[in-house]
Amino acid sequence: MSRLDSFIRRLEAQRACLDRATELVRDLDGIVLELGLGNGRTYDHLRELFQGRDAPWRDIYVCERQVAAHPDCVPPADRLLLGDMFKTLPAAGFLIDRVALAHFDAGTGDDAANRSLAAGLRPLILPLLRGGGVLATQQEMTCPELTALPLPGGVADGRYHLYRRV
Ligand SMILES: C[S@@+](CC[C@H](N)C(=O)[O-])C[C@H]1O[C@@H](n2cnc3c(N)ncnc32)[C@H](O)[C@@H]1O
């Protein structure tokens, strides 16, 4: 598969998983947490899903080390946890047990670094997720507190991950 095909499939998987995660939390109160703003593509999609016309409105908080998003996709200052997540997540006590849907997309093209980042941040993300809350993540985050969920049709195993907080 060409790198272009792989890139397209990754983005299709990401969108399909965010859409599925939205359905999965439909009956669960709670906020949305975007972990890794980047240029704001998935944040913008989450805004459509949770703050768009006819969407059931939810607060969206965003973590990012340094904002470099498209100008239309910069979160309001009071919804942005600016800085290294290893520092901002432990300091975000107000998020504990309040997140219905978290989306983790903080990686780079370096698989080993991504695995290490995910393993390091997982214990900081878990306490924020409500019981029954959903984590959508590009990196695997297997642990006893998270139950792996089936992926939407067309998304290859391992390309993206959906978990439910036990
Ligand atoms: C792949 S990009 C996110 C792409 C974004 N979801 C989108 O669709 O445009 C990853 C982002 O995570 C951020 N990031 C990575 N590690 C971080 C950390 N430890 N703390 C805060 N932000 C981090 C990077 O600065 C980068 O902007």
Side-chain angles (χ1 to χ4, degrees):
M1 185 189 305
S2 72
R3 291 180 66 82
L4 177 62
D5 286 332
S6 175
F7 178 69
I8 290 169
R9 286 190 194 186
R10 185 176 74 77
L11 295 189
E12 285 176 342
Q14 190 172 49
R15 181 182 57 192
C17 287
L18 291 179
D19 292 350
R20 169 64 59 83
T22 301
E23 291 165 14
L24 290 168
V25 300
R26 180 163 295 148
D27 297 325
L28 184 73
D29 282 342
I31 65 172
V32 175
L33 180 62
E34 169 79 320
L35 299 146
L37 176 66
N39 81 13
R41 279 186 295 248
T42 48
Y43 169 61
D44 195 36
H45 195 65
L46 290 169
R47 281 195 306 197
E48 281 199 1
L49 291 169
F50 292 105
Q51 298 180 348
R53 208 153 57 96
D54 301 331
W57 196 91
R58 292 186 197 241
D59 237 342
I60 304 175
Y61 282 81
V62 178
C63 294
E64 176 54 54
R65 182 187 283 135
Q66 190 175 12
V67 173
H70 185 282
D72 290 344
C73 301
V74 175
D78 62 355
R79 294 295 181 269
L80 178 64
L81 306 181
L82 184 62
D84 190 323
M85 284 187 251
F86 283 97
K87 292 189 178 150
T88 58
L89 291 180
F94 67 99
L95 288 179
I96 291 175
D97 212 15
R98 287 194 55 211
V99 174
L101 167 59
H103 173 229
F104 179 75
D105 181 23
T108 61
D110 181 337
D111 287 344
N114 290 346
R115 280 195 294 276
S116 158
L117 182 68
L121 287 173
R122 191 187 63 210
L124 306 181
I125 297 168
L126 282 176
L128 311 184
L129 276 173
R130 296 194 52 187
V134 169
L135 172 63
T137 166
Q138 178 147 30
Q139 273 75 48
E140 191 176 347
M141 289 211 193
T142 306
C143 65
E145 294 88 349
L146 295 172
T147 304
L149 298 171
L151 296 169
V155 177
D157 269 355
R159 192 171 284 281
Y160 230 78
H161 304 271
L162 286 172
Y163 297 100
R164 173 100 64 189
R165 176 77 161 99
V166 173

